[in-house]
Amino acid sequence: MVQRKIKTVYDVVCPFCGTLCDDLEVDIDLTTNLVVEVRNACQIGTAKFYSSNPGEHRFEKPLIRENGKHKEVSWEEAIDKAAEILIKSKRPLLYGFSSTECEAQGKGVELAEILGCILDNTASVCHGPSLLAEQDVGIPTSTLGEYKNRADLVIFWGSNPVHAHPRHLGRYSEFIRGYFRKDGRNDRFVVVIDPRNTHTAQIADLHIQVNPNEDYELFNAIRALLREVELDEKEVSGVPISKIKELVDVIKSCSFGVIFFGMGLTQTLAHHRNIDAAICLTRELNDHTKFLITPMRGHYNVAGANTVFTWNTGYAYSIDFSRGYPRYNPGEFSSVDLLMRDEIDASLIVASDPASNFPAESVKSLFKHPLIAVEPHETPTSAFADVVLPPAIAGIECEGTAYRMDHVPLRLRKVKDAPGECLTDLEILERLIEKVKEKKGEK
Ligand code: SF4
């Protein structure tokens, strides 16, 4: 029997959701270079580590599509073909970046500037409205550590962490003991505001079942009651006035409250106006008690993508370099809108799978034109790509920096080598930049 040699890596950061849990332990079989056990992660985080093991869905060599089928080629050939597609295109799109590390994101900005193309990240289909509202009215916010130690009232509005951020509740917001909340769950009052009876709602102390798309009205009813305005309605947004008054009493009597909001607010009818109202409510609550607000970011480094894009260009997403300098206009320069209007004639997708979550018409438009995917797995996007450039998975097979949902930067760890010929996202983008410059005669 072959003796297995196991290496354990401690304090690993999970590269899946914006909670960025940093207490994982991962066992690697050194004889096979396989992940054999993951401790402390939730189910979805664990699945990501196992997905790095070679298998039929993991790419290990660059691929080019020929006669409708992918064939393996050298890195030289694949990079040459990808660069050729990008420089021949009149209006290329660089999209994704939220599931890779900050150093690679910076290279994405550099490539977009050289190409004079559109640069966008996944915030454009998730928390873009939060960024718009923050630009309008600012944001009173803090770190997850502060909430863990101090919050005695936690409101989840339009978010369902039991499914989307499973360890958020156990590490920061609900069940955890904090410095001033020694009795954990017993020291906190938890409210869920959601049209659905989600699993998070089922373990809350109070569930407010607001009508779909009517959160904006509910925010303003709460703001009016806080100012002691009498409302001459029996209900607002499907919630009886007596229940809204009960919520206002709960809020006013807490000593430290926080609102965690998700895509149930950003992607419903009032979009950034919902977040605007949420932030204004939070600010006004500080006349009564201490109150803060934090978006529940999904992809593990979407906050990093927004930060890196902003420090390089001044803008967090939906950026157009076609005039030689960055311009910003969500709606005009965001990926889905551009694809719907069929204005994109080639795409480079990095660490993302838009074909599985964009509207069908925009996916049709994406597939109509040359497509390059920097993607470790077979996905609906990479399956239709003309060029597939297989990367090492950041946070598992290479190091890097990632920003947690509260904008705390954490260092991702490498736990094992990447299989086959995979390069890091950073190396792939550096090679592309060199080849594009060479073909444009800039070297
Ligand atoms: S909650 Fe998020 S970051 Fe934490 S282990 Fe689960 S997927 Fe990973």
Side-chain angles (χ1 to χ4, degrees):
M1 204 173 90
V2 182
Q3 191 74 27
R4 286 207 307 186
K5 242 183 143 184
I6 304 292
K7 172 183 82 170
T8 302
V9 189
Y10 297 93
D11 302 323
V12 177
V13 175
C14 173
F16 190 87
C17 86
T19 312
L20 276 188
C21 300
D22 55 1
D23 59 346
L24 274 53
E25 295 175 7
V26 183
D27 287 350
I28 307 295
D29 184 335
L30 292 176
T31 44
T32 56
N33 189 38
L34 296 179
V35 173
V36 289
E37 193 170 337
V38 181
R39 287 181 291 281
N40 297 343
C42 68
Q43 245 181 329
I44 45 180
T46 303
K48 173 137 187 194
F49 279 88
Y50 281 112
S51 80
S52 68
N53 288 339
E56 54 180 326
H57 299 299
R58 181 87 203 254
F59 299 125
E60 296 185 35
K61 290 184 174 172
L63 305 171
I64 285 183
R65 177 176 298 282
E66 245 180 42
N67 302 322
K69 285 202 168 137
H70 279 147
K71 71 160 194 182
E72 289 178 358
V73 294
S74 66
W75 270 105
E76 186 55 38
E77 199 178 331
I79 292 284
D80 191 81
K81 171 99 176 163
E84 192 69 21
I85 288 172
L86 291 172
I87 60 165
K88 276 193 177 154
S89 159
K90 284 199 173 69
R91 198 148 171 76
L93 166 70
L94 264 59
Y95 175 81
F97 296 101
S98 302
S99 289
T100 188
E101 33 89 26
C102 293
E103 292 78 356
Q105 292 164 350
K107 287 290 161 193
V109 178
E110 193 179 331
L111 179 59
E113 188 170 13
I114 294 167
L115 289 166
C117 70
I118 299 287
L119 177 68
D120 201 7
N121 56 56
T122 59
S124 130
V125 288
C126 62
H127 275 275
S130 310
L131 298 163
L132 288 175
E134 287 171 24
Q135 287 154 4
D136 277 352
V137 292
I139 183 163
T141 190
S142 188
T143 62
L144 297 179
E146 283 292 296
Y147 304 141
K148 167 190 154 183
N149 286 321
R150 296 172 188 277
D152 62 344
L153 172 63
V154 178
I155 300 178
F156 293 107
W157 199 316
S159 66
N160 184 13
V162 168
H163 286 194
H165 305 81
R167 294 190 70 218
H168 192 281
L169 305 163
R171 275 174 66 83
Y172 301 112
S173 51
E174 191 160 339
F175 302 105
I176 187 78
R177 290 191 170 92
Y179 191 84
F180 299 104
R181 303 289 160 237
K182 297 251 185 289
D183 214 4
R185 178 67 177 88
N186 295 333
D187 274 350
R188 301 181 206 278
F189 193 86
V190 178
V191 179
V192 169
I193 303 177
D194 201 304
R196 298 168 308 147
N197 186 19
T198 62
H199 284 130
T200 308
Q202 286 165 23
I203 54 171
D205 298 296
L206 177 65
H207 176 204
I208 308 265
Q209 213 152 0
V210 57
N211 285 342
N213 291 311
E214 293 182 13
D215 305 84
Y216 185 80
E217 292 84 342
L218 183 57
F219 278 120
N220 287 317
I222 297 171
R223 291 171 73 187
L225 289 173
L226 269 180
R227 292 174 194 188
E228 298 181 354
V229 175
E230 269 310 314
L231 300 176
D232 53 3
E233 297 286 337
K234 285 202 176 59
E235 59 168 50
V236 175
S237 312
V239 185
I241 295 295
S242 59
K243 199 148 191 185
I244 303 176
K245 284 185 172 164
E246 183 190 336
L247 175 63
V248 169
D249 289 342
V250 166
I251 289 172
K252 279 166 76 174
S253 60
C254 81
S255 56
F256 188 115
V258 53
I259 298 174
F260 291 111
F261 67 95
M263 286 171 62
L265 270 194
T266 64
Q267 296 300 327
T268 50
L269 207 55
H271 293 275
H272 68 287
R273 291 296 170 217
N274 281 334
I275 316 308
D276 189 324
I279 293 171
C280 290
L281 168 64
T282 306
R283 204 166 47 205
E284 288 157 19
L285 285 171
N286 283 281
D287 291 342
H288 303 271
T289 180
K290 178 77 181 167
F291 230 91
L292 298 159
I293 183 166
T294 288
M296 298 285 274
R297 306 306 301 270
H299 293 91
Y300 78 88
N301 200 21
V302 61
N306 299 148
T307 305
V308 172
F309 284 16
T310 304
W311 83 52
N312 278 287
T313 70
Y315 308 117
Y317 69 109
S318 298
I319 303 156
D320 178 24
F321 279 102
S322 63
R323 290 193 186 164
Y325 55 88
R327 290 185 300 152
Y328 168 67
N329 199 4
E332 186 181 1
F333 304 139
S334 26
S335 308
V336 169
D337 301 84
L338 285 159
L339 288 165
M340 294 291 249
R341 297 194 301 267
D342 203 13
E343 289 180 20
I344 294 298
D345 61 355
S347 307
L348 168 67
I349 309 297
V350 180
S352 181
D353 181 20
S356 65
N357 55 54
F358 275 17
E361 283 309 307
S362 59
V363 175
K364 278 187 203 160
S365 171
L366 181 79
F367 288 162
K368 229 166 65 182
H369 303 286
L371 175 62
I372 305 154
V374 181
E375 168 59 48
H377 295 108
E378 191 174 305
T379 63
T381 304
S382 60
F384 284 88
D386 298 283
V387 183
V388 177
L389 307 172
I393 300 175
I396 300 177
E397 295 162 348
C398 69
E399 294 187 336
T401 305
Y403 279 73
R404 207 167 60 184
M405 62 169 72
D406 54 354
H407 283 266
V408 171
L410 295 171
R411 191 71 186 157
L412 302 172
R413 304 196 69 172
K414 175 179 176 175
V415 299
K416 66 190 264 286
D417 292 327
E421 297 177 9
C422 297
L423 300 174
T424 65
D425 289 313
L426 179 70
E427 288 167 333
I428 294 170
L429 289 164
E430 278 175 345
R431 285 198 185 192
L432 260 177
I433 288 170
E434 287 307 302
K435 190 54 86 177
V436 164
K437 278 186 176 168
E438 188 187 307
K439 284 181 180 283
K440 285 172 77 114
E442 291 176 7
K443 260 183 71 177

